[in-house]
């Protein structure tokens, strides 16, 4: 009779080597590194590391936007001001840690003496964590990274961006719409950039019955950075209360 944890094996079911022998034996092949059970362990490790790093962060707001925004772009300065205003209210700024809008928001927060967080992602052409981050992590998996944004943020400010920004925005709106998160005030900065998209959502998508009449109100579109920050801070105060 052979015991393998709670399992009892007899006769032909008894393995030829023990679990300890398998653990300590030399491995010629490394295929196991790319198998799903090992991948699950890496995913679990990312969650553990993320939770451990951010658990004591305090109130925070996520700032999303394009990595391609130049430093001379007015939106860069707007995002920098948003980061500064949040830091002045003792609210941490969480971005994707990259250049462009992300760098601007982190820069504003860091210069103001605030908590400037960058949650990066491993990509073939990623430039790494920007120098204005004072708490940074790099993730392998997008879905783990997005969980950190939502779990540790009370609100979001979204600047113009591409597919990545849209993905983050609609992921957030879906979680709110389906009541997976209680409340997440979301401000979009740049009326001329966002209005066409939300005219289509409030028109074609709503008229087709694919969203409710309440859903377009999940975001507030503005050109005023101070207004966007006020929207975000309403989420922080709501969570504090």
């Amino acid at each position: 009779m052979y015991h393998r944890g709670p399992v009892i094996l007899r006769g032909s079911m008894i393995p030829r080597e023990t679990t300890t022998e398998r653990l300590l034996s030399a491995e010629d092949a490394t295929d196991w590194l790319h198998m799903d059970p090992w991948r699950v362990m890496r995913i679990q490790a990312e969650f553990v590391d993320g939770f451990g790093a951010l658990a004591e962060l305090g109130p925070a707001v996520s700032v999303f936007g394009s990595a391609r925004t130049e430093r001379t772009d007015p939106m860069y300065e707007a995002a920098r001001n948003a980061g500064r205003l949040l830091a002045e209210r003792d609210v941490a700024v969480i971005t994707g840690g990259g250049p462009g809008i992300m760098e601007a928001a982190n820069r504003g927060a860091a210069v103001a003496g605030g908590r400037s967080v960058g949650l990066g992602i491993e990509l073939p052409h990623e430039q790494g964590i920007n120098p204005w981050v004072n708490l940074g992590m790099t993730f392998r998996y997008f879905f783990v990274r997005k969980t950190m944004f939502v779990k540790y943020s009370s609100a979001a400010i979204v600047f113009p961006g591409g597919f990545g920004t849209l993905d983050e925005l609609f992921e957030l709106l879906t979680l709110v719409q389906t009541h997976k998160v209680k409340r997440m005030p979301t401000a979009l900065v740049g009326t001329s950039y966002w209005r066409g998209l939300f005219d289509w959502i409030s028109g074609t998508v709503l008229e087709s019955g694919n969203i409710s009449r309440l859903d377009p109100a999940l975001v507030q579109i503005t050109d005023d950075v101070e207004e966007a920050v006020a929207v975000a801070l309403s989420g922080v105060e709501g969570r504090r209360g």
Side-chain angles (χ1 to χ4, degrees):
M1 185 169 60
Y2 180 86
H3 291 269
R4 188 170 62 197
V7 178
I8 296 174
L9 302 171
R10 290 190 174 97
S12 63
M13 295 301 295
I14 295 176
R16 295 185 179 182
E17 60 181 358
T18 67
T19 53
T20 300
E21 286 175 326
R22 284 199 297 273
L23 174 64
L24 298 178
S25 64
E27 290 278 357
D28 294 326
T30 59
D31 292 346
W32 58 274
L33 281 171
H34 309 288
M35 296 174 67
D36 285 342
W38 187 251
R39 189 171 291 119
V40 169
M41 296 297 292
R42 286 202 303 263
I43 292 169
Q44 178 178 312
E46 284 207 348
F47 275 115
V48 170
D49 288 342
F51 293 158
L54 302 175
E56 298 179 348
L57 180 63
V61 168
S62 285
V63 178
F64 301 122
S66 177
R68 305 184 186 193
T69 303
E70 300 289 340
R71 292 176 179 170
T72 55
D73 192 306
M75 282 297 171
Y76 183 96
E77 187 61 26
R80 184 175 174 179
N81 286 335
R84 174 181 59 81
L85 291 168
L86 290 167
E88 288 174 352
R89 294 294 297 271
D90 196 28
V91 175
V93 171
I94 304 177
T95 79
I101 292 295
M102 295 172 282
E103 175 190 283
N106 286 134
R107 182 177 181 179
V111 170
R115 289 156 289 157
S116 177
V117 181
L119 306 180
I121 187 75
E122 289 183 11
L123 295 174
H125 306 292
E126 185 60 48
Q127 299 179 29
I129 300 294
N130 72 67
W132 301 101
V133 167
N134 50 41
L135 172 58
M137 287 190 66
T138 300
F139 292 85
R140 183 189 295 256
Y141 300 101
F142 271 111
F143 63 88
V144 179
R145 179 185 186 231
K146 288 194 285 187
T147 298
M148 301 302 153
F149 282 128
V150 176
K151 181 172 177 61
Y152 294 104
S153 296
S154 300
I157 300 175
V158 188
F159 288 86
F163 288 157
T165 301
L166 292 172
D167 175 56
E168 289 157 345
L169 171 61
F170 282 108
E171 171 101 2
L172 179 58
L173 295 180
T174 300
L175 291 171
V176 175
Q177 181 200 51
T178 56
H179 303 288
K180 294 295 185 181
V181 295
K182 289 184 177 180
R183 185 170 181 261
M184 188 73 75
T186 302
L188 309 184
V189 180
T191 301
S192 62
Y193 189 87
W194 295 109
R195 182 54 64 192
L197 171 62
F198 279 86
D199 283 347
W200 174 73
I201 289 173
S202 299
T204 303
V205 179
L206 178 60
E207 291 166 5
S208 299
N210 293 321
I211 58 173
S212 78
R213 296 196 173 276
L214 298 175
D215 290 338
L218 294 175
V219 303
Q220 186 166 330
I221 303 174
T222 181
D223 289 315
D224 186 339
V225 171
E226 291 189 1
E227 182 181 4
V229 170
V231 170
L233 289 174
S234 73
V236 173
E237 294 303 323
R239 184 168 291 190
R240 281 172 173 165

